[in-house]
Amino acid sequence: MSKPYDATTKRLMELHPEDWVDFLNLPQGAITLLDADLSTITTAADRILRVDGPLPYIVHNEFESGRHTRNVPFRLLQYNVHAEGKYGLPVVSTVFLLHPGSDHAHITGILRRRGPDGKAYHRFRYGAVRVWQIPAERFLTSGVSLLPFAPIAAVRETDLPDIIRRMETRVDREIEEDARANDLWTATYILMGLRYNSLTNAQLLQGVRRMKESVTYQAILEEGRLEGRLEGRREGRLEEARRLLLLFGSQRLGPVPATIRESIERIDSPESLEALVHRLMAVESWSELLP
């Protein structure tokens, strides 16, 4: 998984490891964070935990935000086998898919390997958590380190202000150290970037006291302001290109048909509209310009 999501999810597991064992409905016990760098494979697993209960075991979580996830089941199998070989304990593997774009039909929870005769010779079970399909309430009422997933769960954008308020109430009540609180809010901002733009994120988080006081938030806010200025300039260019197309087009081709006007209003790229303005002299009708 690409940075910064990789570092973000690792940090969330480090903050409160027991939250993840509880979320996955696994047996509780004393938890130890383990080195995820399994030297026999090229890429480190995202995070692994050792749970020492009556029957000790390993929790192996992967977080995926990209689009190249076809091989995720086989990669989970690799990590699973190597972790068991290194620590000598059974391993529970789960992939957290953070965005619909990271989903794939191959991620079913079961990986079957077949021989040349077509018969299955291996069957590997793993967990698959599709974050965007889970009600935000599940994350809001789980361990505090899972709170940052609530805004990218199964929510409407209009629900976000209330979700952020509920998150703030829990963080203020349960997290005493400002550094840990800042980690949670920074993770929230970064994960929200999978679904919303930076300006929206900054506006939603601007009222969070402990976020507002952090240096990280000041950098985030400035990023949002910059994006807002760039977006404003782009919107101005878009409207100007649309105005010129309608003005020059009506002079060159006559009144603008309602269907053509609707098509022009739907174009949200200033480059595309400007290209149509340049084409006006090469066509004889609106239907030729916008077939």
Side-chain angles (χ1 to χ4, degrees):
M1 183 179 66
S2 63
K3 291 177 172 44
Y5 306 112
D6 182 43
T8 297
T9 51
K10 282 185 178 181
R11 180 58 182 148
L12 289 176
M13 285 194 65
E14 291 168 356
L15 285 173
H16 290 273
E18 65 278 6
D19 294 348
W20 300 85
V21 175
D22 183 62
F23 181 82
L24 294 171
N25 295 315
L26 297 173
Q28 290 284 353
I31 297 174
T32 306
L33 288 164
L34 298 177
D35 178 11
D37 186 6
L38 305 175
S39 59
T40 50
I41 51 180
T42 58
T43 306
D46 279 358
R47 222 4 161 166
I48 53 178
L49 313 172
R50 173 175 175 144
V51 184
D52 284 302
L55 296 173
Y57 64 97
I58 301 292
V59 176
H60 158 222
N61 288 343
E62 286 291 312
F63 298 87
E64 291 292 337
S65 63
R67 296 183 179 275
H68 304 291
T69 52
R70 178 187 176 92
N71 292 326
V72 161
F74 183 70
R75 187 148 41 87
L76 289 171
L77 173 61
Q78 284 183 297
Y79 293 151
N80 188 286
V81 170
H82 285 292
E84 182 169 351
K86 182 172 182 176
Y87 297 107
L89 294 172
V91 180
V92 179
S93 292
T94 303
V95 59
F96 286 76
L97 302 168
L98 304 179
H99 186 272
S102 62
D103 202 1
H104 198 284
H106 283 73
I107 304 176
T108 63
I110 299 176
L111 174 64
R112 293 181 176 87
R113 311 302 290 174
R114 299 182 183 277
D117 59 359
K119 295 181 179 180
Y121 66 86
H122 185 78
R123 186 169 181 263
F124 168 59
R125 295 181 64 89
Y126 60 92
V129 177
R130 291 169 168 84
V131 172
W132 68 93
Q133 293 180 354
I134 297 176
E137 191 69 21
R138 175 80 190 282
F139 293 111
L140 290 169
T141 56
S142 292
V144 69
S145 64
L146 283 110
L147 285 175
F149 293 95
I152 61 170
V155 298
R156 297 170 299 183
E157 192 164 344
T158 54
D159 297 330
L160 289 177
D162 182 59
I163 287 173
I164 298 299
R165 281 193 294 270
R166 291 182 61 187
M167 290 173 62
E168 184 176 16
T169 297
R170 281 202 59 194
V171 172
D172 286 348
R173 184 175 66 239
E174 299 177 34
I175 303 294
E176 294 182 0
E177 306 93 333
D178 284 342
R180 286 177 174 255
N182 289 339
D183 284 342
L184 285 171
W185 287 117
T186 300
T188 301
Y189 176 84
I190 290 172
L191 290 173
M192 285 175 66
L194 289 166
R195 185 165 170 180
Y196 315 102
N197 64 53
S198 299
L199 183 60
T200 297
N201 296 351
Q203 290 172 338
L204 283 165
L205 296 174
Q206 67 183 351
V208 177
R209 178 183 60 82
R210 292 170 80 175
M211 182 68 170
K212 191 162 51 176
E213 293 170 356
S214 72
V215 174
T216 302
Y217 178 71
Q218 297 307 317
I220 286 170
L221 192 61
E222 182 55 36
E223 180 185 345
R225 292 192 187 107
L226 176 59
E227 182 168 313
R229 290 195 293 269
L230 292 175
E231 184 65 23
R233 286 199 290 269
R234 184 173 178 82
E235 284 297 319
R237 181 181 165 197
L238 182 68
E239 289 304 314
E240 179 63 11
R242 187 177 288 121
R243 185 185 71 81
L244 290 175
L245 179 59
L246 292 171
L247 176 63
F248 295 152
S250 61
Q251 294 175 353
R252 172 82 173 82
L253 305 174
V256 186
T259 54
I260 296 294
R261 185 179 293 274
E262 291 173 1
S263 296
I264 291 173
E265 292 295 333
R266 285 195 297 269
I267 298 173
D268 59 3
S269 164
E271 294 82 4
S272 298
L273 290 169
E274 289 163 358
L276 290 174
V277 172
H278 287 295
R279 282 191 58 210
L280 279 171
M281 297 305 295
V283 300
E284 299 297 329
S285 68
W286 283 108
S287 60
E288 189 179 350
L289 180 69
L290 289 170

